[in-house]
Amino acid sequence: MHKWIMFVVFAAASVLGIILLTTQLPGKPVDEAASLPPGESLMKVEASADFVFDQKEYHVKKGDKVKLELVNKSGIHGLAIPDLGIELKGDKLSQEVTFDKAGTFEMHCAVMCGVGHADMKSVLIVE
């Protein structure tokens, strides 16, 4: 009798596992850069509730045409690069930019997001 109970439990677990595998798997990753026009690249900046951007430094080459995109992983943030006249916040979280000036530019959060807002900084290096 215990064998039948174990068989039923095993069968039910197997069916549940197959259902979860076929319905709960995330979709295949999409290459967002493939949809951009020729000669344009994608630069994603991810911001989180830890009051940090995902990288300390971002690098681009002078003359590159880039789609700059802010992704809020958690919390509501913005992105400003004052020396280049770039501000992403609210409904505008992406912008096409051609970097025609070399140098090091400070990036900071453009939305008052909490106690760590003042420290939410990064650097864009245009080589």
Side-chain angles (χ1 to χ4, degrees), residues 93-126:
L93 294 179
S94 68
Q95 180 177 340
E96 292 181 2
V97 181
T98 300
F99 295 102
D100 54 359
K101 189 163 81 170
T104 301
F105 304 95
E106 180 183 288
M107 301 168 49
H108 64 269
C109 182
V111 173
M112 184 51 131
C113 54
V115 295
H117 172 74
D119 298 324
M120 194 167 177
K121 296 178 182 175
S122 190
V123 175
L124 172 67
I125 299 172
V126 181

Side-chain angles (χ1 to χ4, degrees), residues 79-97:
L79 173 66
I81 309 173
D83 293 339
L84 299 176
I86 296 171
E87 186 170 76
L88 306 177
K89 65 180 183 179
D91 292 339
K92 182 186 172 198
L93 294 179
S94 68
Q95 180 177 340
E96 292 181 2
V97 181

Side-chain angles (χ1 to χ4, degrees), residues 27-117:
K28 292 182 180 178
V30 176
D31 182 14
E32 296 176 46
S35 65
L36 295 174
E40 189 173 337
S41 60
L42 177 66
M43 183 172 100
K44 277 190 172 184
V45 177
E46 294 181 359
S48 70
D50 296 334
F51 306 107
V52 294
F53 294 112
D54 62 324
Q55 297 179 31
K56 296 258 186 223
E57 295 180 347
Y58 297 87
H59 295 265
V60 295
K61 296 207 182 302
K62 182 180 175 184
D64 280 359
K65 187 174 182 181
V66 175
K67 180 178 181 184
L68 180 61
E69 185 175 303
L70 175 65
V71 177
N72 285 317
K73 286 297 208 182
S74 57
I76 297 174
H77 303 282
L79 173 66
I81 309 173
D83 293 339
L84 299 176
I86 296 171
E87 186 170 76
L88 306 177
K89 65 180 183 179
D91 292 339
K92 182 186 172 198
L93 294 179
S94 68
Q95 180 177 340
E96 292 181 2
V97 181
T98 300
F99 295 102
D100 54 359
K101 189 163 81 170
T104 301
F105 304 95
E106 180 183 288
M107 301 168 49
H108 64 269
C109 182
V111 173
M112 184 51 131
C113 54
V115 295
H117 172 74

Side-chain angles (χ1 to χ4, degrees), residues 20-29:
L20 289 175
L21 280 174
T22 57
T23 61
Q24 300 296 319
L25 290 177
K28 292 182 180 178

